Amino acid sequence: MVAISETARHETAQRDYYEILGVARDADQKAIKDAFRNLALKYHPDRNKEPGAEERFKEIAEAYAVLSDAKKRADYDARGFAGVAGFSQQDLFSGINFEDIFGGLNFDFGGGGGGGLFDHFVHRRTAGQRGPRRGANIEVELFVPLERVASGGEERVRLTHPATCPACHGAGAKGGAAPTPCAACGGSGRITRSRREEKEHVLIQQVTLCPTCHGRGSVIEHPCPECGGSGEVEREESLTVKIPVGIEEGMALRIPGKGMPSPDPGGMAGDLFVLVYSRRDARFERSGSDLLRLESIPLTDAVLGAKLDVPTLDGYSSVTVPAGTQPDAVLRLKGKGLPAFGGGHRGDLYLRIGIRIPEHLTREERDLYERLRAIGGGGGGR
């Protein structure tokens, strides 16, 4: 098993955008803009020189970039971080005029080629300029107990996935040496064969993938013994993700840089998206922030009423079953469900009452039921 550094062990998923800005999920654009401006003024590195202020500021800016755009916000609300996973930094930030929001404060936001704070957000490649491709994202499912949904906290995610070979840094060659240009195709990755049809005065060219380098344009003379020349190794990792209180079913938590490695040496790895679901629980069924439970009681308790001790996420609670309770009646325990995601109210626990009809009676029980029927009970009363 590959050793995991302490940084990787304690790496946590990205926080919810609404939580970052401290706004409700139904906040309007003015509330979102005001929250962003106030937080940005507090954490902008031109004002705040404390360690971590710049990273906090960028986190706030990313949250605003998504929530201030109606389409991106709708995608995020529907699918969590997976809904905005396809956007580049340029896609997120290019439409925001930070100078307009912070006009007159002389903050450095870059964008003009001067190396400002947001240059890496809105950086545009010049025509023809190429760089290593980013690795693909990975999705894994994590099932957590309802108690974790209620309290929030850390959960472990174990996964095995391809990672950049640490010995050759993805180059595939021994010692990380650069591959040699393919002599067969001249480094183009293609073989071109030409022939001229004299009668038609036509030059026919056939272009095929180079069989020597398989289209890569380079060959590895001395493959890396660690990865066999592929540039990738299988890595088993155990990561920690932070589960927000009241996390919704199927919500995606993003762990940057823990996805598939880049197909190009030196490229960035993709991200890991952890899709969180509630673990099956024999006691309850989840419905949003509410919990549902089937509680079966004897016929006599339904007729005469009773007190029950029922399980909740906080321990057992006493419930009064009124006399004359009918089958499938529903009793509500207010505030005994799950916390709503993003703060606010706590859901309820709903008990659906099932009534157990005895299938086998003793002689004494039968006599009692016969007497009850004789006096007009067992269904004739009001």
Side-chain angles (χ1 to χ4, degrees), residues 41 64 82 114 138 146 159 199 285 294 317 333 345 354 370:
L41 288 173
Y64 177 71
I138 297 176
L146 292 172
L159 72 156
K199 183 182 294 187
E285 179 182 338
L294 175 62
S317 290
L333 279 70
H345 73 283
E370 291 289 356

Side-chain angles (χ1 to χ4, degrees), residues 188-251:
S188 67
R190 302 183 300 274
I191 298 293
T192 303
R193 296 182 175 88
S194 303
R195 62 185 177 89
R196 183 178 297 277
E197 294 285 349
E198 295 294 342
K199 183 182 294 187
E200 302 294 336
H201 302 288
V202 174
L203 178 65
I204 299 176
Q205 289 187 329
Q206 181 183 18
V207 180
T208 59
L209 204 65
C210 176
T212 303
C213 67
H214 306 288
R216 290 191 297 268
S218 60
V219 293
I220 298 173
E221 296 181 352
H222 303 289
C224 170
E226 189 75 21
C227 64
S230 68
E232 298 178 357
V233 293
E234 287 291 313
R235 174 180 294 172
E236 182 178 349
E237 287 194 90
S238 178
L239 303 174
T240 298
V241 294
K242 184 177 180 182
I243 307 298
V245 173
I247 187 169
E248 298 171 354
E249 288 292 289
M251 184 169 285

Side-chain angles (χ1 to χ4, degrees), residues 7-228:
T7 301
R9 283 184 190 279
H10 296 288
E11 182 171 6
T12 56
Q14 184 174 352
R15 291 198 299 150
D16 172 63
Y17 288 143
Y18 292 97
E19 179 186 343
I20 290 171
L21 295 183
V23 297
R25 296 185 75 81
D26 58 354
D28 60 22
Q29 284 300 314
K30 184 179 184 303
I32 290 172
K33 184 175 182 179
D34 289 346
F36 166 63
R37 193 176 193 276
N38 291 335
L39 289 170
L41 288 173
K42 179 179 179 180
Y43 288 101
H44 193 286
D46 286 355
R47 286 191 170 191
N48 192 328
K49 303 301 182 182
E50 295 181 1
E54 181 174 333
E55 290 306 313
R56 179 80 171 96
F57 178 77
K58 291 175 183 177
E59 179 186 50
I60 294 164
E62 181 175 330
Y64 177 71
V66 171
L67 299 185
S68 63
D69 183 285
K71 177 65 169 62
K72 295 184 182 75
R73 182 179 180 181
D75 291 339
Y76 176 71
D77 287 343
R79 299 186 58 222
F81 291 113
V84 292
F87 294 112
S88 66
Q89 296 292 338
Q90 179 179 326
D91 294 331
L92 288 177
F93 292 98
S94 59
I96 301 176
N97 188 337
F98 290 102
E99 284 79 4
D100 177 61
I101 299 174
F102 299 95
L105 295 179
N106 297 319
F107 280 165
D108 178 17
F109 289 96
L117 181 62
F118 278 94
D119 277 357
H120 74 289
F121 284 161
V122 297
H123 175 67
R124 301 174 187 270
R125 291 180 177 174
T126 58
Q129 185 178 354
R130 300 182 63 189
R133 291 168 291 174
R134 187 174 178 273
N137 296 330
I138 297 176
E139 288 188 359
V140 297
E141 294 181 344
L142 176 64
F143 293 85
V144 300
L146 292 172
E147 285 80 4
R148 177 62 71 213
V149 177
S151 65
E154 295 182 345
E155 289 284 332
R156 305 290 289 179
V157 177
R158 299 182 183 276
L159 72 156
T160 301
H161 64 97
T164 301
C165 176
C168 67
H169 307 291
K174 185 177 181 180
T180 304
C182 177
C185 65
S188 67
R190 302 183 300 274
I191 298 293
T192 303
R193 296 182 175 88
S194 303
R195 62 185 177 89
R196 183 178 297 277
E197 294 285 349
E198 295 294 342
K199 183 182 294 187
E200 302 294 336
H201 302 288
V202 174
L203 178 65
I204 299 176
Q205 289 187 329
Q206 181 183 18
V207 180
T208 59
L209 204 65
C210 176
T212 303
C213 67
H214 306 288
R216 290 191 297 268
S218 60
V219 293
I220 298 173
E221 296 181 352
H222 303 289
C224 170
E226 189 75 21
C227 64

Side-chain angles (χ1 to χ4, degrees), residues 325-363:
T325 293
Q326 300 299 306
D328 293 327
V330 176
L331 305 178
R332 183 178 73 153
L333 279 70
K334 190 174 181 179
K336 291 298 184 181
L338 295 167
F341 178 71
H345 73 283
R346 183 165 178 169
D348 302 324
L349 170 60
Y350 290 92
L351 300 177
R352 184 166 67 86
I353 302 299
I355 297 177
R356 297 195 299 270
I357 306 298
E359 297 180 8
H360 306 284
L361 299 174
T362 65
R363 182 181 296 275

